[in-house]
Amino acid sequence: MSTDDESFHPLGDEWEGELETMLDDTEYDSQLGMDMARDAMRVTKGELSEADFHEKYHEDVMEEFGEDERPTKEAYEAAQEEAKGTFSRMVDKFDGDGEETRRETMKKMGVGATAVGLGAFGTVSDGPEHSVAEGPRQETTEESDTQWGMTIDLERCDGCLSCMTACSEENDLDQGVNWMYVMAWEDDNHHGQEGSEYDVYTDFNMGSDFNMLVRPCQHCTDAPCEKVCPTTARHTRDKDGLVLTDYDVCIGCRYCQVACPYGVNYFQWDEPDTAYEDIDGLEDPDNPDQITHAEYDHGERWVDSRAPRGTMSKCTMCPSMQDGKQGEGKVGTTACESACPPNAIQFGNVKDEKSDPSQHREHPVKSRAIVHLTNGTESSKSAPSADDIDSALSEGDDLETAIDNIEGLTVDILAVMKSIEMISEGLEPGDDENNSILRNEQEILSAVEAFQQYVDLNTEEAYTELGLGDGSEQQARFRLEQYTGDPSSFQLLEDIGTNPNITYLGQQPGPEAHQVDGPTAYEDVDLLDERQEDLDEGTVGRIDGVSL
């Protein structure tokens, strides 16, 4: 345990105590794991340098694990020349034994040999497309223009748990191995259950009367879990910023679990319920030679799907999809996003201003209105298309007649459409993945243009009828805020300095927030919350006050 009087872990003393107890059950040094986790978080906060962190624990890690290949530039540079070609020769030595699995080969070689040549900026940087057997490559200093991430609108989340179910099915997870959690919460100022005296949400909410929190792995740009991994099993891919675990290299020390500020790691105790050969999507039936899931191909890093026994796992943001292994149509998507009925999850390249998560983060009022008008579900109001308008209207129609002639159109919907047009930046969607918000914005703008061929919406009379005041951009923004609310934007535990790539819209849990039963029980959708007993007993910590 940390020698500090105060817990180092953001989830609190009780969570820290559980982590130490967990480490005591492993074969590895518990104290070393706790101390490294504490200092890894000091690194993300800027209180300790990467070099000093590596030097401080280098000898202890060497003594405990035989090698120290933690992902630091200093460690890579020191080992690069010595390791060059060694790993390739060692793998080749075992390749002749046809009965050997790659994982068994790794174990025979030992942790030290496994780690040689796998420095942080070697094969880790290339991710699954780079064969481990090829040995280390030269470090690249060129920063990728892709960083996968999400913006999650908590006030659209209806707590249906479809995202959790889709994640479990996509990755063949055992029951209770939840790579994401959907939780309802309350505190003294924010109640959400039926009959509460507090009115938490506007009519924009998709139907949940609860404060919600959706918690996958945050895929931090500066991940403490990666800093403490002695084998580089936990690594960040240079090409897209995904924080992943190489199951073949992971030794199950669980240090990453202690170092994670968000509590999102799992240790696979037993043999998985789904055998390797039965993993869903392991082979594409239309192209049996193409591996689409789990181990991409023999010799490449296995970073997707359920973990084998004795290794760590967590949310991966579906790398087989991002790498095109499941078809180009799924690049830029995740199982959880695709399964979300109210479109609360927006996934994409957070470095691209045109992407859905970026638009949702930077222009939440406008993007909320666009998502709501174009969601296409029965519970969502929809905007008419330009073709719908052209087929319904005639020259000489006045505003009231025109609205009545278009099925489903109301004054409110038209006012929101016009407001979107008035504040639009005119950004073209482009051809990249996951820019549906801008594409749908273009559809709305086309519809407004079509409507204005019949009825002029830029008159004082029309502004008054639509509740747009003097027709200024300020009035348009106010009208949209009336429709969607004006959500706050936040990231979990921003003060830790991990730079998470998940942004939230909605109400941020306060320090006294606690979890409550949500709108959908886990057992109702064949999920299992293994921590429920701990939750009931109050023995787990919190994220920004929310019990896990």
Side-chain angles (χ1 to χ4, degrees):
M1 184 72 72
S2 168
T3 56
D4 297 343
D5 293 335
E6 187 175 319
S7 171
F8 75 84
H9 205 288
L11 301 189
D13 291 326
E14 293 175 352
W15 180 255
E16 185 177 327
E18 286 190 7
L19 292 173
E20 186 168 27
T21 300
M22 172 199 74
L23 287 183
D24 288 341
D25 292 333
T26 72
E27 61 183 290
Y28 302 103
D29 189 333
S30 300
Q31 188 66 51
L32 177 60
M34 299 299 288
D35 289 344
M36 288 183 70
R38 176 197 62 210
D39 281 339
M41 292 185 200
R42 290 182 60 206
V43 173
T44 63
K45 292 179 180 179
E47 299 172 358
L48 184 68
S49 72
E50 287 271 7
D52 288 343
F53 175 71
H54 184 269
E55 181 179 0
K56 181 175 182 178
Y57 292 104
H58 178 65
E59 291 185 4
D60 290 337
V61 171
M62 290 287 292
E63 181 178 351
E64 183 67 18
F65 299 102
E67 292 286 342
D68 182 8
E69 294 299 325
R70 287 176 292 140
T72 65
K73 181 178 179 180
E74 291 80 3
Y76 172 77
E77 289 175 344
Q80 186 175 21
E81 288 303 318
E82 180 182 351
K84 191 173 184 179
T86 302
F87 188 80
S88 180
R89 292 193 299 272
M90 297 175 81
V91 171
D92 290 342
K93 180 179 179 181
F94 286 94
D95 274 349
D97 188 351
E99 296 182 0
E100 294 265 326
T101 67
R102 181 169 178 273
R103 184 166 178 78
E104 289 168 344
T105 299
M106 293 289 214
K107 287 183 175 179
K108 283 191 175 184
M109 291 160 63
V111 174
T114 301
V116 169
L118 289 180
F121 303 96
T123 60
V124 169
S125 300
D126 275 344
E129 296 304 320
H130 179 78
S131 172
V132 175
E134 294 175 18
R137 68 167 183 83
Q138 294 296 318
E139 176 188 353
T140 176
T141 58
E142 183 177 347
E143 184 178 353
S144 171
D145 58 1
T146 299
Q147 171 63 66
W148 297 119
M150 296 177 176
T151 298
I152 304 178
D153 193 337
L154 300 176
E155 292 177 2
R156 283 191 75 85
C157 175
D158 60 4
C160 68
L161 309 185
S162 295
C163 57
M164 292 181 61
T165 300
C167 176
S168 181
E169 292 175 352
E170 171 70 20
N171 294 286
D172 292 289
L173 304 179
D174 294 350
Q175 276 211 329
V177 180
N178 301 312
W179 283 1
M180 64 190 305
Y181 267 93
V182 176
M183 299 171 284
W185 59 272
E186 290 186 354
D187 60 23
D188 289 342
N189 296 318
H190 302 94
H191 292 247
Q193 292 177 289
E194 185 176 354
S196 169
E197 62 182 293
Y198 298 92
D199 182 15
V200 178
Y201 295 128
T202 67
D203 290 339
F204 172 76
N205 184 278
M206 291 302 296
S208 171
D209 293 325
F210 296 78
N211 304 287
M212 302 303 300
L213 181 65
V214 181
R215 189 216 60 187
C217 171
Q218 307 290 296
H219 287 265
C220 304
T221 300
D222 194 10
C225 62
E226 180 180 0
K227 300 180 189 303
V228 301
C229 179
T231 69
T232 74
R234 180 61 54 82
H235 62 280
T236 299
R237 300 202 309 191
D238 280 355
K239 69 177 184 178
D240 57 16
L242 291 183
V243 180
L244 301 170
T245 307
D246 185 336
Y247 297 146
D248 280 331
V249 178
C250 178
I251 59 174
C253 68
R254 305 184 73 172
Y255 282 14
C256 60
Q257 191 169 15
V258 182
C260 174
Y262 304 97
V264 298
N265 288 270
Y266 283 88
F267 180 73
Q268 184 69 33
W269 285 100
D270 301 320
E271 290 296 333
D273 293 340
T274 301
Y276 178 77
E277 59 271 16
D278 295 329
I279 291 176
D280 184 37
L282 184 61
E283 291 185 357
D284 184 343
D286 298 326
N287 185 5
D289 295 330
Q290 182 184 28
I291 300 299
T292 61
H293 216 159
E295 188 174 14
Y296 294 82
D297 200 354
H298 182 76
E300 294 184 357
R301 305 198 85 168
W302 178 11
V303 297
D304 203 4
S305 194
R306 99 294 184 272
R309 182 179 181 178
T311 61
M312 302 302 301
S313 72
K314 65 170 189 65
C315 156
T316 61
M317 287 190 175
C318 300
S320 63
M321 294 184 186
Q322 314 324 326
D323 294 340
K325 298 293 184 176
Q326 298 193 43
E328 290 302 315
K330 288 194 174 182
V331 175
T333 70
T334 62
C336 60
E337 179 197 38
S338 299
C340 179
N343 282 6
I345 299 173
Q346 303 295 333
F347 177 81
N349 180 10
V350 297
K351 288 186 176 181
D352 179 7
E353 67 172 342
K354 297 181 178 182
S355 71
D356 289 348
S358 295
Q359 284 292 306
H360 221 39
R361 180 189 67 230
E362 299 301 324
H363 311 284
V365 174
K366 183 188 72 172
S367 66
R368 268 187 164 192
I370 293 169
V371 169
H372 198 52
L373 289 178
T374 60
N375 190 38
T377 66
E378 291 183 2
S379 60
S380 176
K381 303 171 184 177
S382 59
S385 67
D387 289 341
D388 293 335
I389 292 170
D390 283 331
S391 63
L393 300 189
S394 304
E395 288 188 22
D397 287 342
D398 58 25
L399 181 57
E400 183 178 355
T401 301
I403 292 174
D404 289 341
N405 285 344
I406 300 174
E407 184 178 359
L409 186 62
T410 65
V411 171
D412 282 343
I413 293 177
L414 183 59
V416 171
M417 294 171 63
K418 178 61 177 175
S419 297
I420 291 171
E421 183 230 28
M422 293 166 66
I423 70 168
S424 173
E425 298 86 2
L427 194 63
E428 295 288 338
D431 299 323
D432 292 336
E433 303 85 6
N434 266 28
N435 52 13
S436 63
I437 290 176
L438 283 179
R439 289 199 304 271
N440 289 332
E441 179 180 322
Q442 292 298 312
E443 293 294 325
I444 291 173
L445 297 184
S446 296
V448 172
E449 182 180 2
F451 194 97
Q452 293 183 144
Q453 298 300 313
Y454 302 95
V455 180
D456 188 357
L457 298 180
N458 296 312
T459 66
E460 183 177 340
E461 180 182 357
Y463 291 148
T464 300
E465 182 71 19
L466 297 177
L468 292 173
D470 59 4
S472 65
E473 182 176 324
Q474 182 181 10
Q475 285 293 325
R477 292 186 181 280
F478 179 71
R479 188 69 176 85
L480 288 178
E481 289 175 7
Q482 287 181 311
Y483 183 65
T484 69
D486 187 12
S488 59
S489 172
F490 67 93
Q491 294 176 320
L492 290 177
L493 303 175
E494 289 182 90
D495 60 322
I496 302 299
T498 61
N499 295 315
N501 286 296
I502 306 286
T503 300
Y504 295 93
L505 302 180
Q507 183 62 50
Q508 182 172 9
E512 300 303 320
H514 58 277
Q515 186 175 352
V516 298
D517 291 337
T520 304
Y522 283 32
E523 55 268 23
D524 291 344
V525 291
D526 296 323
L527 294 173
L528 175 66
D529 182 1
E530 288 188 333
R531 296 181 178 178
Q532 192 59 54
E533 181 178 348
D534 287 335
L535 290 171
D536 292 340
E537 295 175 359
T539 58
V540 297
R542 309 196 237 253
I543 287 180
D544 283 354
V546 178
S547 299
L548 298 179

